Amino acid sequence: MIDLRSDTVTRPSAAMRHAMAQAEVGDDVYREDPTVLKLEETAAEMLGKEAALFVTSGTQGNQIAVLTHARPGDEVILEAESHIFYYEVGAMAALAGVQARTLPGVRGQIPLSQLKKAIRGVNIHYPETKLICLENTHNRAGGAILPLSYMKEVYELAKAHQVPVHLDGARLFNAAVASGVAVCDFAAAVDTVQVCLSKGLGAPIGSILAGPRDWIERARKWRKALGGGMRQAGVIAAPGLLALNTMVERLADDHRRAKRLAEGLAQIPGISIRPEDVETNIVIADIAGLSVGMADFLHRLANEGVLATDFSETTVRFVTHVDVDDVAIEATLRAVSRCVSA
């Protein structure tokens, strides 16, 4: 099967499996796991932050960030289709007891004028704005990159109102490779950042949360409260460390293949897509022009040996990753053509 449902479906490489088997370990709750410590130090240095924390997933990292920045009753501003709001099971409300204030964006970017209006003033009736969250790249915007210039403007606005900014950077390395902007420059435009090791970087598990040292110490306690205090975690930190050191630059191949996939899909009658909007490794195609419904289309595609996922009633998402090569992209295009003509 050619699995294009997500970049989370990758299998650890032989080198990663070897690193896992050979990892030097200790008890990470006691901060005695040398591999975890090395991963955290490496990630903090790459992101230009004082400290970093190894967490089990991107969702856990984002929720720890909310818990550390805000208190029950506070308000968090997010783009309306952001992952933290859309795909994290209402955890902000359930765990942190905060109120989400969502604002519609354009390719993931909340207009600055609307963002400024949304920051609460002093009023006994209002919750306090305690956090602004950004997402780069933006999943539901088709892997769109938030430009560094935009992030800097948001950061300056937030600082003027003494509101911290957290970045859901699950695919931040994709943004950096595609834009040519250093990942640390993106991270410098926020107070805290979460990056996934288990998406485009190909590690089997884990994410990194990074920020000021004292903030990370508070975040570490929230990780423990959420059951994220791991013991001999070097076994799973080792492939993450290898991912940071060896898997970043190859993301350009995923982006090139995604662009080729988009261009090929655009040539198939009944499928609507703008290849110029594909900036990284996510391709969203609209099949409203086909005579087949979503469930039937995905079923036909699976029978042809290709897995994708529905993104709305009429849109399908394809995500390129390390386990999908050029041959698989061409095979996918042929499979889609057969599904359309069947």
Side-chain angles (χ1 to χ4, degrees), residues 56 59-61 63-64 67 95 220-229:
T56 62
T59 293
Q60 187 181 70
Q63 294 307 318
I64 289 172
L67 284 158
L95 301 177
R220 185 179 297 274
K221 196 158 188 175
W222 276 118
R223 185 188 71 172
K224 187 70 173 71
L226 295 181

Side-chain angles (χ1 to χ4, degrees), residues 263-279:
E263 290 169 348
L265 290 172
Q267 299 303 311
I268 298 175
I271 293 181
S272 177
I273 185 171
R274 287 168 48 89
E276 61 269 28
D277 286 344
V278 176
E279 296 182 285

Side-chain angles (χ1 to χ4, degrees), residues 5-329:
R5 291 174 298 172
S6 177
D7 45 8
T8 61
V9 302
T10 58
R11 309 297 172 86
S13 65
M16 287 183 179
R17 292 178 186 272
H18 179 76
M20 294 170 75
Q22 300 298 317
E24 187 179 357
V25 299
D27 191 317
D28 184 48
V29 173
Y30 288 116
R31 305 192 194 187
E32 295 173 356
D33 190 302
T35 308
V36 172
L37 292 173
K38 180 63 174 176
L39 171 62
E40 291 173 342
E41 291 167 3
T42 300
E45 183 176 357
M46 291 178 77
L47 292 165
K49 296 300 185 186
E50 291 180 352
L53 182 68
F54 183 42
V55 297
T56 62
S57 68
T59 293
Q60 187 181 70
N62 287 332
Q63 294 307 318
I64 289 172
V66 174
L67 284 158
T68 309
H69 279 296
R71 297 182 302 174
D74 289 337
E75 189 167 74
V76 177
I77 298 175
L78 314 94
E79 199 275 332
E81 296 205 332
S82 63
H83 191 282
I84 296 177
F85 176 73
Y86 211 97
Y87 289 120
E88 298 189 8
V89 206
M92 285 200 310
L95 301 177
V98 298
Q99 175 170 293
R101 187 166 190 184
T102 60
L103 301 173
V106 178
R107 292 183 61 75
Q109 301 175 51
I110 302 170
L112 289 170
S113 60
Q114 297 303 308
L115 184 60
K116 184 176 182 179
K117 290 178 182 178
I119 297 174
R120 300 283 189 172
V122 177
N123 189 306
I124 195 170
H125 302 90
Y126 294 166
E128 294 184 36
T129 302
K130 281 300 178 68
L131 184 63
I132 296 169
C133 294
L134 301 177
E135 182 179 336
N136 200 6
T137 65
H138 195 289
N139 177 26
R140 288 192 61 80
I145 299 169
L146 269 62
L148 179 59
S149 57
Y150 170 78
M151 290 183 59
K152 286 181 175 180
E153 289 181 301
V154 171
Y155 196 38
E156 289 302 315
L157 175 63
K159 284 196 295 185
H161 291 83
Q162 298 181 310
V163 177
V165 179
H166 171 69
L167 176 62
D168 175 2
R171 296 182 175 92
L172 186 61
F173 284 98
N174 291 87
V177 169
S179 66
V181 174
V183 71
C184 60
D185 290 338
F186 279 123
V190 295
D191 296 282
T192 59
V193 55
Q194 178 271 128
V195 295
C196 278
L197 304 171
S198 59
K199 289 189 168 69
L201 298 184
I205 189 171
S207 288
I208 290 291
L209 185 60
R213 192 173 305 279
D214 60 342
W215 188 91
I216 288 293
E217 287 305 303
R218 299 199 307 275
R220 185 179 297 274
K221 196 158 188 175
W222 276 118
R223 185 188 71 172
K224 187 70 173 71
L226 295 181
M230 298 173 283
R231 300 300 178 170
Q232 287 70 44
V235 173
I236 55 175
L241 183 59
L242 189 65
L244 287 178
N245 287 329
T246 67
M247 299 291 282
V248 174
E249 295 306 319
R250 63 144 308 280
L251 292 172
D253 292 333
D254 296 343
H255 303 162
R256 174 178 56 79
R257 289 171 180 139
K259 180 71 79 171
R260 166 61 189 141
L261 179 60
E263 290 169 348
L265 290 172
Q267 299 303 311
I268 298 175
I271 293 181
S272 177
I273 185 171
R274 287 168 48 89
E276 61 269 28
D277 286 344
V278 176
E279 296 182 285
T280 53
N281 69 323
I282 297 176
V283 177
I284 298 177
D286 195 317
I287 64 167
L290 300 180
S291 59
V292 61
M294 178 63 68
D296 194 14
F297 176 79
L298 292 176
H299 180 70
R300 291 184 188 184
L301 197 57
N303 286 340
E304 293 285 348
V306 177
L307 298 178
T309 188
D310 57 312
F311 222 45
S312 73
E313 290 183 358
T314 64
T315 55
V316 181
R317 189 185 76 163
F318 303 85
V319 185
T320 56
H321 50 76
V322 66
D323 291 345
V324 175
D325 60 14
D326 292 334
V327 173
I329 294 298

